[in-house]
Amino acid sequence: MSSIYLDHAATTPMLDCAIDAMTTALSKLGNPSSLHTPGRSVRKDIEDAREVIGREVGSLASEIIFTGSGTEANNIALKGLFWKRRAEGRNVVLISAIEHHAIIDPAQWLATHEKAEVIEIPVTNDGVIDCAFVEKFLSQRADEVALIAVMHSNNETGVLQPISELVNLAGDIPVHCDAVQSFGKVPLSFSELGLTSLTLSAHKIGGPLGIGALVLKRGIEIPALLHGGGQEREIRSGTLNTPSIVAFASAISSHQYLSDVVTKLRDYFISNVQKLLPDAILNGAKSARLPGIVNFTFPGTQSDTLLLLMDGANVSCSTGSACSAGVHEASHVLLAMGHSEKTAQSSLRFSLGASTTQSDIDYVLSVLPDVIARGRAANLS
Amino acid sequence: MKLIAAMSGGVDSAVAAARAVEAGHEVIGVHLALSANPQKYRSGARGCCTIEDSHDARRAADVIGIPFYIWDMAEEFHDGVVEDFLAEYAQGRTPNPCLRCNEKIKFAAVLDRARAMGFDGVVTGHYARTEITPEGKTLHRAIDISKDQSYVLSVLTVEQIAGAIFPLGDTTKVDIRKEAAERGLAVAEKPDSHDICFVPSGDNAGWLRDRLGSEIGPIVDQSGTKIGEHNGAYTYTIGQRKGLGLTVPTADGSPRFVLKIEPVSNTVVVGSREELAITSMKGERPVWCGPAVSATPTRGFVQIRAHGQALACTYSYDGTLLHATLDEALLGLATGQAMVIYDGDRVVGSATICETN
């Protein structure tokens, strides 16, 4: 049997419409920076795509900067905004304790190499940032803050963050938001949120790998990371990847991700897991969450053992947390939510996508109890 | 059978996994992460603990076409192997960490976990053979005697041997490398590992000194007369001749050898070559790889180093200690090493040497 794929938060199948758009574009000649007819033709395709994506994310088309990945977009935003604001004498980078490594690591890099002071915003046991902390911090040190970065929703737990409230608290301080998990899944408007910058990634929504975007507020100029032809507002150089950009726009505008359907499947999955395994702990249970991400702690197990057993039972899922030398570390997200090292290492993330079906979920429910039982036995051995 | 293949990233374990797959088993490759802070690149003759090695293992598993996982055994390895290594040296003994790793990690922690998960056994690239006999599954030397690793496997119990699969025991190393190349495994030409994997520099004495300190103590002769000084008794090995730094010559100018290490008084005792000679040994904490040894003196062989010679002996077990009396005297034998008893090429069992005479 083919495997049941419940790791859509890692990457999700490319949509047929996106594959079609991409393959058509692959056979089309032209560098979008060229001034001749073929160049102008692919330039039009890119600008069409930019407008589509702008509409979908509630930004101006001109605010979209195409990048090679979500990670690159986060790096441009964090480093660029930091350098710009440091020139004005501000040195503090405020990030949440549950950011993806694509935010944590550039922030740490700024601390190590650029003498930034990185402050982590704590989260509640339900995985939501502590706005009271932010308010108090800003009441004392707002003048020193270069930027604030908080993700729109967490990639491990799916917990949605109060971005509007944060932007209100921030006032004039730029707020960057990594929205790669939220885009296309829940309502998201760059302009309504009042953000300075926002990160998107195509392969999380049925587009191709290797293409992302930074939405950067019109009029904000920041230093570049990649210097060269100056293609994207002089902030990101490199020949534009027309086939991927076109496929990105095709995927997001197809609206094939039906949030209500995924939410219903998710809730069915959660209630049945809780029936089968009453001691399973749903992480972020009390918070508003993305439709597709479910994170359970199974006490007395080790997640790497569970992954092996799930894979052996033809189910692809994930711990959601990073690896260090291939060894799963305790998730910094779950630790920040009050888990111990031990319980954080006993957790699995199941992420549903547009293509997930009821029979997929039923199959997973049929194998899960045995996997957990074996996982517990292996943990005791 | 459903098997876990322990894959170090070296050529042997890669071919072992491939052979197990070919034999029709359902195999999952597992690389054991044994260091809490692995180095990025391999250096010198160490072969399993770097990130580069884990990539090699993953690549081999992908080429063979089996699932691959990394199991974090750093804590178990530290507690069971590294701490034991230090404790043994601190007591003036010379331990063999590879043997301890087989006993406590590969065929204990890994095998136990594998069995609990529903697997039948563990495949490794050790050069050793097993045979199914009326008395059960027995452990034997490899065909390639120069690579034979039955010595470091002699700590396995009958129960552990039952769950151990050694697909390489019938082949020479040269042929394993050829086979790896034919199978398209990039590790075919990867150098063998020799050094202790958790001593990155290869400098055992320095590594021990950093952890056990370097307290200066006397070097004395058999009469107790001080004839020199050392900076850490545990950095010496029984039978060692070089590096003693002695300035008082013997009456006849003959060389001196380390006879004894006394950790409590931090003393190194030296003497003549003749005084090194021993003809019998006793071992504690015996493990039987088959039927237990009886009190009846039995003819066989004893091996006291990983790649040492098999020495003709008479052995017996008194219920606590394993005894072996050698046909011919042996020079220099450190306590803490394993004495492994062979009946022909079959491993009878082993014990940790606690006394020599």
Side-chain angles (χ1 to χ4, degrees):
Chain A
M1 65 176 285
S2 63
S3 79
I4 304 298
Y5 189 81
L6 287 190
D7 201 14
H8 290 269
T11 197
T12 196
M14 244 181 109
L15 298 171
D16 288 343
C17 62
I19 295 173
D20 289 346
M22 189 162 183
T23 45
T24 304
L26 280 169
S27 57
K28 194 166 170 181
L29 174 68
N31 182 325
S33 296
S34 298
L35 299 179
H36 45 56
T37 304
R40 287 200 309 276
S41 177
V42 291
R43 164 60 69 180
K44 178 179 185 300
D45 294 342
I46 284 176
E47 296 312 321
D48 286 348
R50 203 188 299 274
E51 285 180 8
V52 166
I53 295 167
R55 268 199 301 278
E56 294 291 338
V57 73
S59 78
L60 300 172
S62 60
E63 290 175 321
I64 307 277
I65 295 172
F66 289 112
T67 64
S69 63
T71 296
E72 187 193 340
N74 281 331
N75 270 266
I76 294 173
L78 250 72
K79 292 172 186 171
L81 287 169
F82 175 78
W83 284 323
K84 175 185 164 68
R85 299 269 294 172
R86 186 180 59 180
E88 301 161 8
R90 296 174 174 94
N91 195 45
V92 172
V93 176
L94 207 53
I95 65 172
S96 86
I98 55 166
E99 291 302 299
H100 189 277
H101 275 281
I103 292 288
I104 295 175
D105 289 23
Q108 289 305 332
W109 184 89
L110 287 170
T112 309
H113 297 275
E114 299 291 307
K115 299 190 172 68
E117 183 185 352
V118 177
I119 304 284
E120 281 193 356
I121 306 167
V123 299
T124 65
N125 285 354
D126 277 299
V128 184
I129 59 159
D130 182 352
C131 282
F133 173 91
V134 178
E135 191 170 10
K136 190 173 173 212
F137 186 85
L138 294 181
S139 72
Q140 294 160 351
R141 299 180 64 185
D143 288 353
E144 300 170 52
V145 179
L147 74 141
I148 304 173
V150 174
M151 63 204 332
H152 194 271
S153 59
N154 183 265
N155 54 301
E156 293 185 31
T157 62
V159 171
L160 290 156
Q161 302 301 321
I163 301 299
S164 252
E165 192 180 344
L166 180 74
V167 171
N168 279 337
L169 290 172
D172 293 338
I173 300 167
V175 178
H176 171 73
C177 181
D178 179 347
V180 298
Q181 292 295 347
S182 288
F183 188 42
K185 318 280 168 58
V186 289
L188 176 70
S189 168
F190 179 72
S191 59
E192 282 175 23
L193 286 171
L195 291 161
T196 300
S197 56
L198 179 90
T199 290
L200 306 176
S201 172
H203 75 100
K204 307 288 191 191
I205 54 150
L209 293 156
I211 187 77
L214 176 68
V215 188
L216 180 65
K217 199 171 180 176
R218 186 174 169 277
I220 303 273
E221 291 307 320
I222 57 174
L225 294 185
L226 298 183
H227 300 88
Q231 282 85 347
E232 294 287 87
R233 270 168 73 179
E234 300 284 347
I235 290 169
R236 205 273 186 179
S237 288
T239 301
L240 285 167
N241 180 352
T242 314
S244 295
I245 289 169
V246 167
F248 185 1
S250 167
I252 193 60
S253 59
S254 72
H255 299 142
Q256 288 189 33
Y257 187 93
L258 304 173
S259 295
D260 292 352
V261 175
V262 179
T263 303
K264 221 173 133 191
L265 277 176
R266 175 198 71 182
D267 292 344
Y268 171 79
F269 179 61
I270 290 171
S271 63
N272 279 283
V273 169
Q274 287 172 331
K275 263 182 229 159
L276 291 166
L277 300 157
D279 63 346
I281 300 157
L282 176 66
N283 291 303
K286 290 181 192 150
S287 305
R289 301 188 310 280
L290 286 177
I293 295 184
V294 179
N295 191 308
F296 270 114
T297 296
F298 299 104
T301 66
Q302 262 185 7
S303 44
D304 54 353
T305 309
L306 298 183
L307 274 189
L308 188 159
L309 292 166
M310 288 301 269
D311 197 24
N314 282 311
V315 177
S316 307
C317 57
S318 152
T319 64
S321 63
C323 289
S324 164
V327 173
H328 285 289
E329 292 181 327
S331 153
H332 67 281
V333 175
L334 297 181
L335 291 175
M337 289 165 69
H339 273 279
S340 65
E341 289 265 344
K342 207 168 183 177
T343 56
Q345 297 251 42
S346 314
S347 307
L348 281 186
R349 177 186 72 180
F350 302 90
S351 49
L352 292 64
S355 56
T356 305
T357 64
Q358 171 88 31
S359 70
D360 289 348
I361 299 296
D362 284 332
Y363 176 79
V364 176
L365 290 168
S366 75
V367 300
L368 190 61
D370 180 56
V371 164
I372 300 300
R374 282 172 191 262
R376 285 204 173 119
N379 201 29
L380 293 174
S381 67
Chain B
M1 285 197 286
K2 283 180 72 176
L3 302 174
I4 292 287
M7 299 179 75
S8 66
V11 59
D12 297 326
S13 54
V15 173
R19 285 186 167 191
V21 172
E22 225 162 62
H25 301 301
E26 184 185 335
V27 181
I28 286 184
V30 166
H31 177 78
L32 304 178
L34 300 178
S35 168
N37 299 297
Q39 300 201 320
K40 220 166 181 178
Y41 302 106
R42 189 170 48 248
S43 65
R46 289 173 304 110
C48 57
C49 297
T50 66
I51 293 173
E52 201 175 6
D53 291 308
S54 80
H55 285 187
D56 288 345
R58 177 185 298 280
R59 176 65 187 148
D62 288 344
V63 169
I64 295 164
I66 56 172
F68 177 82
Y69 297 91
I70 295 177
W71 283 2
D72 182 4
M73 292 265 168
E75 208 178 308
E76 290 91 337
F77 186 78
H78 180 82
D79 294 350
V81 180
V82 181
E83 287 292 338
D84 174 81
F85 184 77
L86 279 171
E88 286 287 288
Y89 264 110
Q91 288 174 45
R93 318 220 286 182
T94 307
N96 182 323
C98 300
L99 195 131
R100 215 50 72 208
C101 180
N102 286 326
E103 180 190 12
K104 296 192 174 163
I105 308 295
K106 291 192 183 121
F107 300 96
V110 175
L111 182 59
D112 290 348
R113 197 198 276 197
R115 281 176 166 156
M117 289 168 78
F119 290 85
D120 303 301
V122 172
V123 179
T124 69
H126 284 112
Y127 285 81
R129 290 180 304 115
T130 54
E131 282 179 16
I132 307 294
T133 69
E135 287 79 42
K137 196 170 168 187
T138 50
L139 179 65
H140 299 259
R141 286 193 193 276
I143 296 294
D144 186 344
I145 290 299
S146 69
K147 287 288 165 190
D148 173 49
Q149 290 175 299
S150 57
Y151 178 89
V152 290
L153 295 167
S154 64
V155 282
L156 304 190
T157 63
V158 171
E159 170 84 334
Q160 288 170 314
I161 292 167
I165 317 281
F166 306 123
L168 306 192
D170 64 350
T171 315
T172 64
K173 177 83 183 206
V174 174
D175 287 340
I176 291 298
R177 285 199 182 279
K178 268 189 219 153
E179 184 178 327
E182 282 159 18
R183 290 178 183 276
L185 295 167
V187 289
E189 295 305 321
K190 190 169 167 177
D192 284 358
S193 53
H194 297 292
D195 295 342
I196 295 173
C197 68
F198 54 84
V199 181
S201 59
D203 171 17
N204 285 2
W207 190 88
L208 286 167
R209 207 173 287 127
D210 287 347
R211 283 153 185 83
L212 297 175
S214 51
E215 196 190 333
I216 292 172
I219 298 179
V220 302
D221 64 16
Q222 281 282 60
S223 68
T225 309
K226 182 176 164 182
I227 51 172
E229 273 186 348
H230 65 78
N231 57 354
Y234 45 81
T235 61
Y236 294 84
T237 308
I238 307 295
Q240 181 177 339
R241 175 184 165 184
K242 288 180 180 162
L244 298 179
L246 299 177
T247 49
V248 183
T250 49
D252 60 358
S254 61
R256 289 194 183 91
F257 298 82
V258 174
L259 298 182
K260 211 153 81 175
I261 295 156
E262 293 172 351
V264 177
S265 60
N266 193 30
T267 302
V268 173
V269 183
V270 297
S272 69
R273 175 186 284 273
E274 292 68 38
E275 287 167 313
L276 261 184
I278 63 117
T279 52
S280 70
M281 66 191 83
K282 292 176 190 171
E284 59 191 5
R285 300 193 307 273
V287 177
W288 312 125
C289 306
V293 167
S294 72
T296 314
T298 310
R299 294 292 296 163
F301 296 89
V302 64
Q303 188 174 323
I304 46 109
R305 288 190 192 93
H307 294 287
Q309 278 199 317
L311 310 164
C313 74
T314 301
Y315 63 89
S316 62
Y317 177 57
D318 66 11
T320 310
L321 299 176
L322 177 63
H323 299 251
T325 307
L326 299 169
D327 289 6
E328 288 176 31
L330 169 75
L331 294 179
L333 175 56
T335 56
Q337 287 178 250
M339 57 186 285
V340 179
I341 305 289
Y342 288 84
D343 171 16
D345 73 356
R346 182 176 74 85
V347 183
V348 173
S350 70
T352 305
I353 298 169
C354 59
E355 192 184 321
T356 60
N357 288 297

